[in-house]
């Protein structure tokens, strides 16, 4: 009887240990890896983020440092490189797609180059150059006061609320999604809007557009004295221009 | 996918009502089959023109009048047809019957030959029709070459991709190809349309961007 009890006791130990080990393994498999870095550029920095799947949110703040944080699947490795004021962050993955969600705070004058495949992109309060290159993403640009903005997505809506600089270039393009642009009513620009869907709504900007050519698929012209080049291209989606 | 299978789905494909797996099969077939592309472009043209037609609401009294008219017409038509048939004299001689049968065989044979010649099954025998939109532009030709090369490379890699990534790629490729088809169709209506030319070139560039973006995976 005593022998039996002892045997059971000895057998239970490895079983419990194995179960505990498996539980820890399961928890760690579900948990996400964290990435956090602080960079201290000496001048206006150039930040590139290259992601595959997940959201990217970059906001301008009043500090001189760049703080980049990300939550990522265990299958994702986040790497970075800082060469002077050029900072590059990118994701590596194994066979599984995984995800990485970025939250980044930057000095407003930082130039941004954002690449993604799937996932929402939000940029707020940025005054540096902006370039967004993605495939399956909604792109929100709010409080943008940049000398140039270039956004290309294959599918997804693009929302722009900001200011245009004299001599600046602003290109927004989506193959499958709406372009929604809000500008101050006193903001001059040269417009070139193209929509294969023949759905272009320039609101009250239209009445003050001079030297314009207007067709169902394309409108171009000068608003007020002109200057910044605003190029809007949509295919299966609308172009909407609002006055702020 | 065979031509008849593709053409059965093409209407739903244009409406965006086919499932993703079928979309991809249709896209693959369309990429290699000029006659099916022609069918797709014709349907796009019909959709395009029907969108431009003004909408007219029929008068409220019209439908009752149509219903009454149809109800009155149907018995008269059938009774007249049946009556006419019954009054025919079918007393035919043997040579007349043989000649009639021979004529019937000839008519059926011609019908079959014509149907087979026009049917998409002949596509696989290598018959190529001329392209509906002559893409003489050097830029477009270069882009098409680049796309063909990239597509090959992506196709080889695609099998090892995560399903979610593959779905995203195929969905976006489908959107671009739809836009390209619409541009082609609009250029067919109006070859001098600068905006459509510009949009088409841009859509080709977008396709290159997509393929280059996914080629690294």
């Amino acid at each position: 009887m005593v022998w039996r009890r002892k045997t059971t006791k000895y057998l239970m130990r490895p079983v419990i240990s194995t179960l505990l080990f498996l539980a820890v393994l399961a928890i760690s498999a579900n948990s996400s890896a964290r990435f956090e870095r602080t960079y201290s550029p000496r001048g206006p920095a150039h930040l590139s983020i290259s992601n595959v799947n997940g959201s990217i949110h970059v906001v301008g703040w009043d500090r001189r440092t760049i703080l980049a944080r990300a939550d990522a699947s265990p299958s994702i490795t986040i790497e970075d490189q800082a060469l002077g004021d050029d900072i590059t962050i990118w994701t590596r993955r194994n066979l599984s797609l995984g995800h990485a969600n970025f939250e980044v705070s930057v000095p407003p004058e930082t130039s941004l180059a954002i690449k993604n495949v799937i996932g929402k992109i939000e940029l707020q309060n940025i005054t540096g150059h902006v370039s967004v290159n993605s495939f399956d993403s909604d792109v929100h640009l709010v409080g943008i006061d940049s000398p140039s903005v270039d956004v290309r997505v294959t599918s997804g809506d693009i929302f722009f609320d900001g200011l245009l600089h004299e001599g600046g270039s602003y290109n927004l393009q989506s193959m499958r999604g709406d372009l929604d642009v809000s500008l101050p009513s006193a903001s001059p620009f040269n417009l070139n809007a193209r929509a294969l869907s023949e759905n272009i709504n320039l609101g009250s900007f239209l009445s003050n557009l001079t030297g314009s050519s207007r067709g169902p698929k394309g409108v171009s012209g000068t608003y007020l004295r002109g200057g910044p080049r605003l190029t809007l291209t949509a295919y299966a989606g609308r172009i909407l221009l609002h006055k702020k | 996918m065979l031509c008849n299978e593709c053409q059965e789905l093409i209407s739903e494909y244009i409406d965006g009502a086919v499932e993703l797996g079928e979309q991809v099969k249709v896209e693959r077939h369309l990429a290699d089959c000029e006659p099916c592309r022609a069918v797709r472009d014709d349907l796009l043209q019909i959709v395009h023109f029907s969108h431009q037609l003004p909408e007219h609401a029929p008068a409220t009294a019209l439908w009752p009048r149509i219903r009454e008219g149809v109800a009155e017409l149907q018995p008269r038509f059938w009774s007249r047809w049946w009556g006419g048939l019954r009054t025919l004299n079918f007393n035919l001689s043997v040579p007349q019957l043989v000649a009639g049968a021979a004529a019937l065989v000839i008519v059926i044979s011609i019908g079959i030959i014509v149907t087979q010649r026009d049917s998409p099954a002949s596509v696989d025998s290598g018959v190529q029709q001329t392209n509906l939109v002559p893409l003489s532009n050097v830029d477009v030709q270069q882009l098409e070459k680049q796309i063909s090369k990239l597509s090959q490379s992506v196709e080889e890699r695609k099998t090892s991709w995560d399903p979610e990534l593959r779905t995203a790629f195929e969905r976006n490729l489908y959107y671009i190809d739809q836009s390209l088809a619409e541009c082609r169709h609009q250029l067919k209506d109006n070859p001098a349309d600068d905006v459509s030319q510009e949009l088409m070139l841009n859509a080709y560039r977008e396709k290159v961007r997509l393929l280059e973006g996914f080629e690294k995976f």
Side-chain angles (χ1 to χ4, degrees), chain A residues 52 116-119 134-138 152-157 173-177 235-236, chain B residues 13 20 23-24 27 158 161 164-180 203-204 206-211 213-214 217:
Chain A
V52 177
N116 202 1
V117 176
I118 307 164
S134 188
F135 297 109
D136 216 323
S137 304
D138 286 336
R152 278 162 203 276
V153 293
T154 308
S155 58
D157 297 330
Q173 179 183 303
S174 175
M175 302 292 289
R176 183 92 166 197
Y235 284 77
Chain B
Y13 164 76
L20 192 64
Q23 273 175 23
V24 175
E27 278 297 323
K158 220 164 68 173
W161 290 354
E164 198 181 339
L165 190 68
R166 198 161 45 231
T167 306
F169 169 75
E170 283 167 353
R171 185 174 55 239
N172 284 288
L173 185 65
Y174 169 69
Y175 295 153
I176 296 172
D177 283 337
Q178 259 196 336
S179 296
L180 276 168
Y204 272 115
E206 183 64 18
K207 192 165 178 175
V208 169
R209 189 178 76 91
L210 180 83
L211 290 164
F214 279 82
F217 295 121

Side-chain angles (χ1 to χ4, degrees), chain B residues 63-76:
Chain B
W63 282 114
R65 286 214 303 276
I66 291 173
R67 243 192 323 267
E68 281 167 22
V70 170
E72 279 176 24
L73 188 68
Q74 268 181 336
R76 281 188 204 163

Side-chain angles (χ1 to χ4, degrees), chain B residues 71-82:
Chain B
E72 279 176 24
L73 188 68
Q74 268 181 336
R76 281 188 204 163
F77 172 79
W78 287 112
S79 60
R80 204 164 49 220
W81 185 83
W82 181 241

